[in-house]
Amino acid sequence: MATNSFKKDFDIARPYLKWAGGKTQLLLELEKRLPLFILESGVIERYVEPFVGGGAMFFYLKNHYQVTESILLDVNPELIMAYRVIQSDVDKLITLLKNMETEHLSKGEEVRKENFYSIREEYNQKMQDMDYQNYGDEWIQRTALLIFLNKTCFNGLFRINSKGEFNVPFGRYRNPTICDEGNLQAVHHALEKTEILCRDFTHARHFIERNTLVYMDPPYRPLNSTSHFTSYSRERFNDQDQEKLAHFYREMDSKGAYLILSNSDPKNHDLKDNFFDELYSGYEIDRVPAKRNINSNTSSRGR
């Protein structure tokens, strides 16, 4: 396997946000399923990820392969905003985060808690007035708030309610790393030659052609009626959306693209639930163990 020689000058890039459903623990399993010619050559001409989320797979590929061109998409405007800020203005972002970290860590726990909720309120109040179409300085400020909240909230998550408000409570961390300068710089370099779009997954069809490598990691189908996580965006991803995605998968397969898709396995709770087996009949379906770490009840976390 070839690795990118230009990575020697920078830290290895990894997700800059903690993202529920992130794929860090499954990267080696995903890598095993790459096309043989990519594993042998170490070269990916075009990579498309229609649900980028935390970007674990993208960063892994950029760290270990020569990726000529990348296109990342997601419907979450806050997330796409942050990617574009790190791509374009990482130094300004780092300066803001360093100041926020210094101020936050200088306070006692109760004052930190007050500071967290004050920033969360500011973040939510400004959401309705944000211009997500035109890049500006307010994007940098807002990305700093987003990363601060992600690094200091309970369990380090991004979750919004039906009103589109960030609603994760305060997390009691002794010394949270709010500004990971080395990783932010590494992410900045990983995002070179990358197009970043706030679009529905179907928009990816404009970039997918024969031999394009595509990884699809949609919002997971809930394992049972009590396992809903709320959401990472205002849009919910229901069974009809899963069916729409399966149709899209078959459409992209007909183009000759190389496709990998992951989801939760309903058979964990109901062995008779063949939802995905039927939806992706004719394709190879592998079941692999993964830990569930976001449940507030630790007894419900497991493989």
Side-chain angles (χ1 to χ4, degrees):
M1 181 193 306
T3 57
N4 290 346
S5 59
F6 63 80
K7 286 295 175 186
K8 293 179 180 178
D9 297 329
F10 311 112
D11 289 343
I12 298 298
R14 61 188 185 279
Y16 61 93
L17 293 174
K18 184 173 181 182
W19 201 256
K23 289 297 156 300
T24 299
Q25 63 176 311
L26 290 178
L27 290 174
L28 296 181
E29 290 289 348
L30 291 168
E31 184 176 37
K32 291 177 186 177
R33 291 155 176 84
L34 292 177
L36 183 60
F37 79 92
I38 290 178
L39 291 171
E40 292 178 343
S41 69
V43 177
I44 300 170
E45 291 296 336
R46 176 177 287 186
Y47 176 70
V48 177
E49 191 164 344
F51 304 88
V52 65
M57 182 63 165
F58 166 73
F59 293 124
Y60 184 84
L61 294 176
K62 291 286 285 193
N63 292 334
H64 294 88
Y65 296 83
Q66 181 181 330
V67 184
T68 304
E69 180 185 16
S70 306
I71 299 95
L72 308 178
L73 305 93
D74 205 284
V75 294
N76 187 321
E78 300 284 310
L79 181 67
I80 292 301
M81 172 190 65
Y83 273 101
R84 290 187 58 191
V85 165
I86 296 173
Q87 184 184 52
S88 302
D89 279 302
V90 69
D91 291 333
K92 291 181 181 179
L93 176 64
I94 286 171
T95 297
L96 289 175
L97 287 172
K98 280 183 175 179
N99 292 337
M100 294 178 77
E101 179 175 277
T102 299
E103 180 181 359
H104 188 71
L105 296 185
S106 68
K107 306 176 185 299
E109 183 172 310
E110 286 305 311
V111 182
R112 286 187 188 184
K113 185 175 180 180
E114 292 175 5
N115 185 50
F116 171 85
Y117 284 111
S118 174
I119 290 176
R120 193 181 79 168
E121 182 178 5
E122 177 187 355
Y123 179 84
N124 286 331
Q125 285 179 344
K126 291 183 177 179
M127 184 174 290
Q128 303 301 323
D129 299 322
M130 274 299 298
D131 178 359
Y132 294 109
Q133 304 300 319
N134 300 297
Y135 191 98
D137 287 341
E138 67 273 14
W139 282 33
I140 307 173
Q141 296 277 351
R142 188 159 184 81
T143 297
L145 297 182
L146 169 62
I147 292 176
F148 172 87
L149 291 172
N150 182 256
K151 301 299 184 181
T152 58
C153 71
F154 176 75
N155 222 13
L157 298 173
F158 182 94
R159 182 188 67 196
I160 61 177
N161 59 24
S162 58
K163 297 179 180 179
E165 298 172 331
F166 183 87
N167 66 349
V168 186
F170 176 67
R172 299 181 180 276
Y173 304 113
R174 180 169 294 181
N175 290 300
T177 301
I178 296 168
C179 181
D180 189 342
E181 182 175 1
N183 187 53
L184 287 171
Q185 291 287 1
V187 169
H188 168 73
H189 290 290
L191 290 172
E192 293 174 354
K193 299 180 181 178
T194 300
E195 187 163 357
I196 305 168
L197 300 168
C198 186
R199 295 287 190 278
D200 174 81
F201 69 87
T202 59
H203 190 78
R205 64 165 50 94
H206 299 296
F207 307 99
I208 298 172
E209 54 193 31
R210 185 173 181 80
N211 295 333
T212 301
L213 176 63
V214 186
Y215 173 51
M216 306 183 201
D217 184 36
Y220 276 5
R221 186 176 188 242
L223 292 175
N224 54 52
S225 60
T226 63
S227 65
H228 288 271
F229 174 64
T230 307
S231 188
Y232 320 109
S233 69
R234 295 188 189 190
E235 294 78 13
R236 301 298 187 262
F237 208 81
N238 57 29
D239 280 0
Q240 287 70 39
D241 293 309
Q242 297 286 359
E243 292 166 358
K244 181 180 177 182
L245 176 59
H247 178 78
F248 177 77
Y249 190 97
R250 294 181 185 276
E251 179 188 343
M252 296 306 102
D253 178 39
S254 70
K255 287 187 170 188
Y258 293 100
L259 309 172
I260 304 174
L261 183 145
S262 51
N263 216 304
S264 58
D265 186 3
K267 289 185 179 294
N268 282 302
H269 289 268
D270 182 0
L271 291 175
K272 297 180 181 180
D273 191 334
N274 294 313
F275 182 78
F276 288 119
D277 298 78
E278 295 173 356
L279 212 52
Y280 292 94
S281 63
Y283 292 103
E284 181 177 350
I285 298 177
D286 296 332
R287 288 177 160 85
V288 297
K291 291 182 179 179
R292 244 177 99 75
N293 294 319
I294 65 169
N295 200 305
S296 59
N297 182 356
T298 56
S299 65
S300 296
R301 301 177 186 177
R303 293 170 73 78

